[in-house]
Every structure is written in C-alpha cells, then in structure tokens.
Amino acid sequence: MHYNSKGSVMVVVLTLVLTFAMIGIALNELVVQQSLELEYMGAKVQADYASMSGLIHGQVSLAEDISTNFTITPETIAEFKKIWCVEWFVNEGLKVCNTSASPDAYCCAYQNGQCKTRPLNGVCESENRWVLKYTSRYDSIEKAIIASGSIEFVNDDLETQQVFREPVRFVSGRQMGLNWE
Amino acid sequence: MIRAFKKGVTLIELLITITVIAIGVFPLIGALANLVELLLMQQDQVSAITVGRNQMDLFLNQHQFIDRISPANFTAYPPELTLVAPGIRDRSLLSPNATSMDLEYNNAHFRTFSKITKIENLSTTSRVTYLIRMQVWKVGFPLPKEVSEDIPPEFRNGDNMLFELAALYTQSSRFEL
C-alpha cells in the first residue's frame, strides 16, 4: 500500500511536469509563429506599395493604351532587410540616428551568450530578410493598377554560409484606382 | 488524525512538490508574462501598420497632392518637403490637409512623419514624381506643454519607430519644366 501511494505521487508529479512543459513549448511556438506572421504582414504592406510604385515608371506608355491590359514592369526583385539604429539624438524636434555611436557599447545579435554582430555606423542589420518578386499591370478599362507577387523569407546562416529560402505566401489582386488620368 | 497527517504529507512529497513548482510552474508564469508583453508589442506593431497604410493611402489618393502641400504662391516644385505631425493640441484623426496623423489608437499614441523628395529621373515636362517616405512612431508620454501650447512635438526616450513605408506619387505639373 505504501509503495502504491508513492507510485501515485510520482505519476501525478510527472504528469504535472509534462503538462507544464507542453504548455510552455506551445506558448513559445505561438509567440515565434505570431512574430513571423507579423513580420510578414509588414513586409507585405511594404511590398504592396513598392509594387504599385514600380508602375509609375511606365506612365508615359499608359496614356497611349486605351483598351488592353499589359504588364508595365517585368518581374522585379526587391529585398527588405530589417535595419535599426542603436542610438538616437534629437535635432530640431526630430530624432536622428547617431552614426558615430560606439560599436562596443551595443550588440546587434547574440549567439550562445556571446555578441555575434555589432553595429556599423550606429546601425544594426538583421541576418534574415524578405525577398519580394512582383509584377504590375495596368488595366486601362478599369483604370486601375493591379499588382501581384510572392514573398520569400530568407534565412542567412552565417556559420554554414548557407541560405535557406522559405516561400511564405502568394500576394495577389491588390488593385489601386488612379486619379491622375 | 495525526496518523492521517503523517500519511498525507511526507518530506519527500514536500520536496517533490517544491521541485514541480520550481521546474514547471515558475517557468510557465515567466512564459505567460513574456507572452503578455510580446502581445502588447505586437498590438502596437499592427496598429502602426494600420496607421501607416491609412496615411499613405491618403497621400496617394489625393488629387494634385504636391500642389496642396507646397508653399503658397510657389513658382517651382520644391526638391524636398517634410510633413510633421501637428502636435497634441491639434490631435484628431487627421490634420486639416490630411498630411499627418497624431492620434490615440489601440491604447497607444502614434505620430506619422513623412519626407517627400522629388525624383528628377521620373519627372517629365508634364508630370512631376515624388518619393514619399513615411515613418510611424509610437510616442510614450506626450509632454503637457504639447497639449497647452501650439508648438511642434518633441521626441523623448521611450519613443519608438515601429513602421516605415515608401511609395511614389505622380501628378500633373503646373509648370513647363
């Protein structure tokens, strides 16, 4: 009886530890995934506006077309890399990045408790980036710009010198009406 | 009664309970605290994206936008224009000419700042093209003087730039270049 009681306690303890550990892992996964989704969302918005901007290069041709859809820009590749400033100062009410900030005072990324990369000219750059490919079309009947493309999340592994590309999602169908025609 | 107490909690069981709390519960509480903090940060990021998109759409959808924001009686298109938030006193969803935002949104205070630069390569004799670079900042604690006086807002420690957006804007030129 005494043996069974201890065994039951051990089972309960192990169950509790396992449960808490699983909850912790699940929360961590949730946080990581959500952060990635949010970063993707920001990149997608930037991509939308960048792809629409690309159309304006072709505006001289636009005025001549009255009946067809055509691609104004060929597929264009743009890279978005997260860049941030490590030190700011205020100049005329606006924050300005201090490009002479000491690199020794800041660390951009840590690995195994050690500082891996330090800022250059007061600026840190992320190792991972979004690569955007897009095409843009002009619909002369609807008088609208239609942009579509894809975004890949690129993970640079500095140690192995390898690049991992992960297609994330396809962006399509953003349409923007024009008011300058 | 004493016998039951002795049967209920032994020293080993007490140590095991403490171990479970140390291994399982405290890290879980820490993870929950981190999660809450991160969710608040993510809420700010989503809000900044929303504010940024709204502001940029307002720029892009205005007819002859550059004419509106250029100095009065201008004789040539300026090479660069800066649009700064109007300050807390004028806080509203939009400034009078929709050139900046300074607003409370999702329990945080956001400001937009935009630098608009003329792109000579893309401008023609009949059209003028500008590059719009916009930043969305989260402002921690607006100063009381910004509420009471008509002065431009200032930045302090704790303010963060959360989102940047860039786009081109083209309109008809008022001047033959």
Side-chain angles (χ1 to χ4, degrees):
Chain A
M1 188 68 183
H2 186 64
Y3 175 80
N4 286 342
S5 172
K6 277 194 172 177
S8 301
V9 170
M10 287 300 289
V11 168
V12 170
V13 166
L14 286 173
T15 306
L16 284 173
V17 169
L18 199 63
T19 305
F20 287 136
M22 293 300 288
I23 293 172
I25 291 168
L27 285 176
N28 190 50
E29 282 293 313
L30 178 72
V31 165
V32 170
Q33 188 59 37
Q34 191 152 315
S35 298
L36 196 64
E37 284 290 323
L38 204 60
E39 199 176 334
Y40 165 75
M41 186 175 150
K44 179 177 175 293
V45 172
Q46 289 176 325
D48 275 348
Y49 287 90
S51 59
M52 285 189 291
S53 295
L55 287 164
I56 299 186
H57 289 275
Q59 63 175 316
V60 177
S61 303
L62 291 183
E64 297 167 3
D65 174 73
I66 54 168
S67 61
T68 58
N69 292 345
F70 62 96
T71 301
I72 296 163
T73 54
E75 184 177 79
T76 306
I77 297 175
E79 291 193 0
F80 296 95
K81 210 165 188 177
K82 193 184 285 182
I83 296 173
W84 68 96
C85 182
V86 296
E87 191 176 286
W88 300 86
F89 63 89
V90 177
N91 182 23
E92 296 178 354
L94 290 174
K95 260 189 172 179
V96 180
C97 185
N98 183 6
T99 54
S100 59
S102 169
D104 297 333
Y106 304 97
C107 182
C108 299
Y110 290 91
Q111 191 172 46
N112 300 324
Q114 301 290 319
C115 185
K116 192 166 64 172
T117 53
R118 292 195 178 277
L120 184 65
N121 297 327
V123 172
C124 288
E125 204 174 72
S126 65
E127 291 158 13
N128 302 328
R129 63 186 188 274
W130 297 98
V131 174
L132 160 75
K133 296 175 184 174
Y134 68 82
T135 57
S136 306
R137 291 185 300 111
Y138 170 67
D139 185 334
S140 63
I141 297 170
E142 297 292 332
K143 297 194 187 315
I145 291 168
I146 302 166
S148 61
S150 64
I151 296 179
E152 288 178 330
F153 181 66
V154 180
N155 184 13
D156 292 339
D157 190 329
L158 294 180
E159 292 181 347
T160 61
Q161 299 293 312
Q162 284 184 310
V163 175
F164 302 98
R165 283 177 179 262
E166 181 190 351
V168 178
R169 211 171 290 172
F170 194 74
V171 186
S172 65
R174 180 171 170 83
Q175 187 164 322
M176 179 190 179
L178 298 176
N179 62 4
W180 44 262
E181 279 197 304
Chain B
M1 186 71 177
I2 294 170
R3 192 176 173 187
F5 175 76
K6 279 183 179 174
K7 274 188 78 176
V9 182
T10 65
L11 182 61
I12 293 175
E13 288 167 350
L14 188 65
L15 288 173
I16 289 172
T17 306
I18 292 170
T19 308
V20 168
I21 292 171
I23 294 175
V25 178
F26 286 153
L28 186 64
I29 292 171
L32 284 171
N34 286 339
L35 183 68
V36 170
E37 188 181 344
L38 192 80
L39 287 175
L40 290 173
M41 287 169 59
Q42 290 183 341
Q43 177 181 314
D44 288 342
Q45 283 180 295
V46 173
S47 302
I49 291 172
T50 306
V51 170
R53 288 190 67 159
N54 288 344
Q55 179 67 77
M56 187 60 88
D57 283 346
L58 282 169
F59 288 152
L60 298 179
N61 290 320
Q62 285 191 63
H63 184 62
Q64 296 295 99
F65 172 59
I66 304 299
D67 288 355
R68 292 186 182 196
I69 59 172
S70 293
N73 302 322
F74 67 103
T75 55
Y77 284 103
E80 190 171 281
L81 293 153
T82 303
L83 304 177
V84 182
I88 306 300
R89 187 181 180 187
D90 297 326
R91 185 176 60 202
S92 59
L93 188 61
L94 291 172
S95 60
N97 51 2
T99 54
S100 57
M101 288 190 182
D102 196 319
L103 75 160
E104 297 282 347
Y105 185 65
N106 276 346
N107 303 317
H109 194 101
F110 294 95
R111 284 181 187 153
T112 64
F113 292 84
S114 307
K115 188 168 278 187
I116 301 176
T117 311
K118 189 179 177 188
I119 308 295
E120 298 290 349
N121 293 341
L122 300 179
S123 298
T124 65
T125 53
S126 58
R127 296 188 188 280
V128 61
T129 298
Y130 278 78
L131 171 65
I132 303 174
R133 284 192 175 278
M134 188 193 55
Q135 299 176 345
V136 182
W137 288 74
K138 182 193 174 189
V139 184
F141 301 100
L143 286 180
K145 68 176 183 180
E146 291 178 351
V147 181
S148 59
E149 300 171 24
D150 192 13
I151 59 170
E154 295 176 354
F155 284 112
R156 284 164 296 278
N157 286 338
D159 298 350
N160 288 310
M161 187 181 68
L162 296 176
F163 189 57
E164 278 186 295
L165 205 53
L168 290 175
Y169 180 87
T170 296
Q171 66 159 60
S172 298
S173 173
R174 288 174 58 170
F175 310 104
E176 284 292 329
L177 300 176

